[in-house]
Amino acid sequence: MMAMQWARGLGVGLLAWWLGVALQLQQVQLWPAWGYAALLALALFPALLKALAPRLGWKGWGGWRHWARMGLLGAVWLAVAFAVTGMHALGRSAALDPALEGQDLEVVGVVQAMPQRQDLGWRFRFEIEQAWRVEAEGALSPIDLATALPTQVYLGWYGQAGLSEGPGASVALPEPVQAGERWRLRVRLKAPHGHMNPRGFDYELWLWEQGIGATGTVRQGARDPPAVRLATTWKHPIEGWRQAVRERLLTQLTPTAGTLAHSPDVTSRLAGVVAALVTGDQAAIDRSDWDIFRATGVAHLMSISGLHVTMFAWLASVLVAWSWRQSALWGWTGPLLWPAVHVGSVCGAVFAGFYALFSGWGVPAQRTLWMLCVVMVLKISARQWHGSLIWLLAGAVVLLLDPWALLQPGFWLSFVAVGVLMTLDRQRPPAPGKVTQTPEPDAPWRGTNGVHQSFWHRSSARLGPVWGGAGLQALQRLLREQATLTWALAPLTLLFFGQVSLVGLLANLLAIPWVTLVVTPLALLGVVWSGAWTLALWALQPMAWLLGEMAAWPLASLSLPLPPWGLSVLALGGAAAWVLPLPLSWKLLCLPWLWPALSWQPARPDAGQFELLAADVGQGNAVLVRTAKHSLLYDAGPKYSAESDAGHRVLVPLLSQMGERLDVLMLSHRDSDHTGGAAAVLAMQTQARLWSTLEDEHPLHALRSDWTRCQAGHRWVWDGVMFEVLHPPVLPTPKASSNAVSCVLRISNSEVAALLAGDIEAPQEQALVQAGLRPVKLLLVPHHGSKTSSTRPFLQALQPQWALVQAGYRNRYGHPAAPVLSRYREEGIALLESTRCGAATWQSAAPEKVRCERVESLRYWHHAIVPN
């Protein structure tokens, strides 16, 4: 009975630890250190009272009811987790002095991690050891790293060519950078700042989790001193080895390894998959391949996953245990002192830890490693815990070391998958004729051997005979496990990605054994014998072709709007009911729990009303206009690099999670900060019509042969809402600049109106005023707040209450310009900047307020910019 109570208390405490971490991650602002210390002391006070109870003549908590004791225990663990996580966060709160943002700095430091190759250079983590501020006359003044500058920064080092020079331009690429090298660099830094969109990727959280306190670029101007490689150090040796292995792999498999991301050749693309399997470099996988892997539900296999770490640990443990036993034949007394199974378990965990470090220390690898360590300790101590305790303890260890992993989809997908496999192991009936040991009645915490088999012997079990009755049973078990796992994870994939692969069961049945037992071992063997990489590449080719064919099937994947958290949790409970050993009647009763999440649709404006969502895309425009039954996207954001644009990174996920089907994509003009993501949006929204002022031969017109030219006079009504094109005129000025022909769109109902002005400048504003502008409630600020736009007569004619500026944080153009900001303030117009507001949502039904995503989703790791 005591053991049962101890197990229940441990389970309550571990669960409370998870809840305490989750609660702390909701803080908008960190407490001072003394606040967390006080909470920790208060939480440990009951333990101190219990220790002093005999001296105080107090009977302790024994007289309390069981539920009260468990409640107190849970509260203590929750408070301790909250305080420990807060103290952990304080250790990462070093911030860049705002006075140093955008200033030339001279820094000396070491490359921390394997650099990522970009289209025109490198991105890498840099550990600053010394820093100086460059004064006006070139003099250097030292900077105190303890107070003004974070020691870990994320730098970009790019060549001299810009995006406007085209793909054929000559690019002077920077020198190759190696992990562990010490460099002296001239840099400009800025605070960590990312895009903030509804349910979008939190770049600032990612930087915080990595311990990065600033981002920046290496300066290479004519007046800047050249970068100097000072030495090759022994710091970060594993990262240096990872990079050496990656470069050797890519050099062997692709003659032009540096152009891997741009090569259409299948062999070059698959070389990136092999690199990801060996070193964990997911950036080496081409974006088109990621689309195929996600559509077929096998993306988890194409990087270092828990399955790979488990296989590696199992092989290491088997080989070491066999060698340890054989050493007894050679006269070695070690096997008599320490059993071979224990030695194999320890060595397997050690090798798994090394493999997890070598692969980049991802959350799936961490989760598997800690769970292996828990099982190893229990195995050596001859104890068997209930699978739920192992699961909770492994999660608590991960959250102790990295609390912010709780907010990552990979954490939940990994842990839920392991929990499902553990549950299936406990439900597995014994083989015919096999004698099983019945647990003691007073020791229900003792788990079955299936828990250990789940981690150490599952792979070997599936390598057994495949013919006859045993093989058929193994195949049936594999089908059941994969089907159950797919069913259980479907609500989570819908919650995080808005997509469920309908061919995922079949694709995983084929890909899991092939990748795990053939491709990955060959890829790892290539570290010592390079020829194995070629074999791994050949093994990948038929599977990649098959997955590509499956992804092209009709309804290969189902995309649905992202449901609210509550509905997703309800759906997850319904799926879990079919995994747990419950009566069939209960399972059928829980089945309807899935329907609210599957049928949920975001609320749309009422008839006669409209809504504007200005996405946070950086230095560019992208505004989604929604009516009761129609949607229009005004501009498609910027092109960030040859490999990335606002379409793939922001707009496609945003439209997918909202369940939007665009009727029209309107491109105001040809500048890349307005058309950069158009190709990705048009590829996703195949039904969308294209309106633009682009020249006839523009490549985007090849994607829509029936495109419409945007000209003044176009007018239509959607659901009681009027859309009017006010500019450009039918016959634009010859050789007019791209800004001068920007498409200006007015949206209105019977009460309010909004104006989307593109990049028009003073002459076009004057022409619109002379044509007779009517007042609006909201204005998309012309040309991102440039000095050449937002003239006073234009603002006075429109009289907007709100003005939205879509511009990048600390952009090189200085948008919005200070004189423009003053002009808006003088006219009494409330100005909202995307850098301060994030994605902004305005509704005609409630025109007096604007919702800012950065304000509503603010957490302590976000860049603290107070909205205007």
Side-chain angles (χ1 to χ4, degrees):
M1 184 63 67
M2 291 295 296
M4 181 186 299
Q5 293 179 357
W6 177 87
R8 289 177 178 174
L10 179 61
V12 169
L14 292 173
L15 182 59
W17 186 279
W18 284 53
L19 295 176
V21 173
L23 184 61
Q24 195 280 333
L25 295 182
Q26 304 305 311
Q27 282 194 288
V28 175
Q29 187 174 1
L30 290 174
W31 296 347
W34 63 264
Y36 294 112
L39 178 62
L40 184 61
L42 182 63
L44 296 178
F45 184 70
L48 178 63
L49 279 181
K50 184 176 181 180
L52 297 177
R55 297 184 180 181
L56 299 176
W58 180 47
K59 297 181 180 180
W61 317 106
W64 289 29
R65 292 182 179 272
H66 176 71
W67 63 267
R69 293 198 305 271
M70 291 295 101
L72 176 62
L73 180 64
V76 168
W77 279 67
L78 186 147
V80 171
F82 189 99
V84 170
T85 304
M87 292 179 177
H88 193 173
L90 286 175
R92 299 196 178 196
S93 59
L96 176 67
D97 186 348
L100 297 178
E101 284 195 273
Q103 302 297 315
D104 284 348
L105 306 177
E106 194 90 2
V107 297
V108 171
V110 177
V111 179
Q112 273 189 305
M114 180 175 66
Q116 298 295 327
R117 183 65 185 267
Q118 303 291 308
D119 56 320
L120 296 177
W122 302 91
R123 295 280 288 175
F124 55 93
R125 291 174 58 179
F126 194 71
E127 182 181 6
I128 299 177
E129 299 173 332
Q130 295 176 286
W132 300 267
R133 181 170 184 167
V134 181
E135 304 296 345
E137 298 179 356
L140 301 179
S141 58
I143 298 174
D144 184 4
L145 296 181
T147 59
L149 199 64
T151 56
Q152 296 187 50
V153 298
Y154 195 46
L155 296 178
W157 191 356
Y158 304 111
Q160 296 296 323
L163 293 174
S164 60
E165 298 185 35
S170 176
V171 180
L173 294 177
E175 296 185 56
V177 180
Q178 302 291 328
E181 290 181 338
R182 179 173 284 112
W183 285 80
R184 187 183 184 100
L185 304 171
R186 178 69 60 86
V187 300
R188 284 186 182 176
L189 301 178
K190 62 181 180 180
H193 189 92
H195 303 149
M196 292 288 289
N197 291 287
R199 306 280 284 274
F201 175 68
D202 194 340
Y203 179 62
E204 295 174 33
L205 172 61
W206 181 84
L207 292 174
W208 176 279
E209 189 177 12
Q210 303 298 316
I212 297 171
T215 62
T217 56
V218 178
R219 302 287 296 168
Q220 314 184 78
R223 299 182 180 180
D224 297 315
V228 180
R229 182 187 286 108
L230 299 177
T232 300
T233 72
W234 285 100
K235 288 187 174 183
H236 315 294
I238 294 180
E239 290 295 324
W241 187 28
R242 286 181 68 207
Q243 184 176 359
V245 169
R246 182 190 65 177
E247 298 305 321
R248 184 160 58 92
L249 185 154
L250 296 180
T251 300
Q252 174 168 330
L253 297 185
T254 58
T256 55
T259 60
L260 185 104
H262 311 294
S263 174
D265 183 67
V266 175
T267 302
S268 298
R269 295 204 333 263
L270 294 182
V273 178
V274 178
L277 291 174
V278 175
T279 66
D281 182 15
Q282 298 186 23
I285 300 180
D286 189 78
R287 186 167 56 198
S288 60
D289 288 328
W290 274 124
D291 293 338
I292 293 175
F293 298 152
R294 292 190 183 101
T296 53
V298 300
H300 62 100
L301 291 175
M302 302 309 162
S303 58
I304 305 299
S305 68
L307 190 60
H308 301 152
V309 176
T310 303
M311 180 199 68
F312 191 80
W314 175 79
L315 289 175
S317 66
V318 169
L319 291 175
V320 171
W322 179 84
S323 302
W324 191 259
R325 293 188 188 98
Q326 295 302 310
S327 67
L329 302 178
W330 306 330
W332 174 249
T333 60
L336 300 178
L337 303 175
W338 201 3
V341 64
H342 292 176
V343 176
S345 298
V346 172
C347 291
V350 171
F351 279 101
F354 176 79
Y355 183 41
L357 285 172
F358 181 77
S359 64
W361 199 240
V363 170
Q366 291 182 49
R367 177 264 306 163
T368 305
L369 176 63
W370 300 130
M371 201 164 293
L372 287 173
C373 290
V374 170
V375 174
M376 178 199 68
V377 172
L378 295 177
K379 194 172 188 178
I380 292 176
S381 61
R383 295 178 181 272
Q384 288 186 328
W385 282 10
H386 194 281
S388 60
L389 289 182
I390 299 175
W391 188 82
L392 287 171
L393 179 58
V397 172
V398 172
L399 296 179
L400 175 65
L401 300 174
D402 182 11
W404 304 278
L406 191 67
L407 300 177
Q408 304 297 346
F411 175 89
W412 291 102
L413 293 173
S414 297
F415 271 88
V416 170
V418 170
V420 170
L421 292 177
M422 281 181 156
T423 304
L424 293 176
D425 275 332
R426 290 182 58 81
Q427 297 177 25
R428 182 181 300 169
K434 182 177 179 180
V435 179
T436 59
Q437 180 179 0
T438 303
E440 301 171 11
D442 61 341
W445 73 93
R446 293 178 180 265
T448 64
N449 289 332
V451 174
H452 297 281
Q453 183 181 14
S454 173
F455 294 96
W456 294 100
H457 305 298
R458 181 183 295 275
S459 300
S460 60
R462 289 171 181 169
L463 288 172
V466 295
W467 305 105
L472 182 60
Q473 290 180 3
L475 180 60
Q476 291 175 344
R477 184 168 65 248
L478 180 63
L479 286 170
R480 176 173 174 266
E481 288 181 356
Q482 189 57 50
T484 305
L485 197 60
T486 302
W487 172 265
L489 294 181
L492 281 179
T493 56
L494 178 62
L495 169 64
F496 291 123
F497 310 114
Q499 185 181 41
V500 177
S501 176
L502 301 183
V503 299
L505 174 59
L506 177 59
N508 276 282
L509 286 174
L510 298 174
I512 285 179
W514 189 250
V515 172
T516 304
L517 303 178
V518 178
V519 178
T520 301
L522 288 174
L524 294 176
L525 181 61
V527 176
V528 295
W529 175 51
S530 300
W533 284 332
T534 302
L535 299 179
L537 189 68
W538 291 348
L540 265 178
Q541 289 178 354
M543 191 197 70
W545 175 83
L546 181 60
L547 292 176
E549 292 296 314
M550 295 177 69
W553 290 354
L555 296 178
S557 62
L558 179 64
S559 295
L560 296 172
L562 289 185
W565 295 100
L567 296 184
S568 298
V569 172
L570 184 65
L572 185 60
W578 284 80
V579 177
L580 297 173
L582 298 176
L584 179 60
S585 58
W586 285 38
K587 293 183 178 184
L588 294 176
L589 186 64
C590 294
L591 191 60
W593 294 6
L594 299 172
W595 179 248
L598 295 176
S599 61
W600 182 82
Q601 292 291 330
R604 300 193 68 90
D606 296 331
Q609 303 292 342
F610 62 98
E611 174 188 89
L612 269 63
L613 193 160
D616 188 2
V617 294
Q619 185 65 25
N621 281 154
V623 181
L624 177 65
V625 184
R626 304 169 71 227
T627 66
K629 297 180 181 179
H630 296 84
S631 300
L632 177 147
L633 181 63
Y634 182 86
D635 282 338
K639 189 176 184 67
Y640 305 121
S641 68
E643 302 168 329
S644 177
D645 57 65
H648 283 101
R649 191 186 294 182
V650 178
L651 298 177
V652 167
L654 180 64
L655 294 173
S656 177
Q657 73 160 29
M658 297 179 65
E660 286 296 331
R661 288 178 53 84
L662 292 180
D663 296 278
V664 171
L665 170 61
M666 180 175 289
L667 301 177
S668 62
H669 60 297
R670 66 170 177 263
D671 287 358
S672 63
D673 57 336
H674 298 255
T675 62
V681 172
L682 290 173
M684 174 212 179
Q685 301 279 344
T686 55
Q687 77 290 337
R689 304 190 304 274
L690 176 62
W691 286 49
S692 78
T693 60
L694 308 177
E695 58 273 16
D696 294 345
E697 62 277 9
H698 196 281
L700 286 174
H701 286 161
L703 303 177
R704 292 292 189 275
S705 58
D706 56 344
W707 64 280
T708 302
R709 181 165 295 282
C710 189
Q711 293 179 334
H714 283 295
R715 182 178 303 175
W716 70 95
V717 177
W718 280 345
D719 310 315
V721 179
M722 173 69 73
F723 291 77
E724 302 173 83
V725 177
L726 306 183
H727 188 80
V730 177
L731 297 175
T733 305
K735 298 183 179 181
S737 67
S738 60
N739 291 344
V741 296
S742 290
C743 187
V744 177
L745 180 66
R746 189 178 192 272
I747 309 118
S748 62
N749 59 13
S750 58
E751 300 175 352
V752 296
L755 188 73
L756 309 181
D759 277 0
I760 61 173
E761 298 179 332
Q764 292 79 48
E765 292 180 354
Q766 182 180 2
L768 288 172
V769 171
Q770 292 175 351
L773 277 179
R774 289 167 289 170
V776 298
K777 198 73 172 180
L778 180 140
L779 168 68
L780 179 65
V781 174
H783 203 182
H784 321 286
S786 168
K787 294 179 181 178
T788 60
S789 304
S790 298
T791 58
R792 196 174 299 276
F794 180 72
L795 300 181
Q796 291 175 345
L798 290 174
Q799 303 175 20
Q801 177 182 354
W802 300 101
L804 301 179
V805 180
Q806 290 186 301
Y809 178 68
R810 298 194 65 86
N811 62 85
R812 59 177 176 171
Y813 308 104
H815 296 160
V820 174
L821 294 177
S822 300
R823 198 174 304 145
Y824 277 91
R825 283 195 294 267
E826 292 168 0
E827 295 296 328
I829 302 171
L831 195 69
L832 292 172
E833 303 173 49
S834 59
T835 54
R836 301 173 182 271
C837 179
T841 303
W842 177 86
Q843 297 176 330
S844 63
E848 304 301 324
K849 62 179 181 180
V850 176
R851 297 202 317 270
C852 289
E853 184 66 25
R854 183 169 287 274
V855 176
E856 295 186 352
S857 303
L858 184 64
R859 297 294 182 269
Y860 59 81
W861 56 80
H862 289 142
H863 187 196
I865 302 181
V866 180
N868 287 337

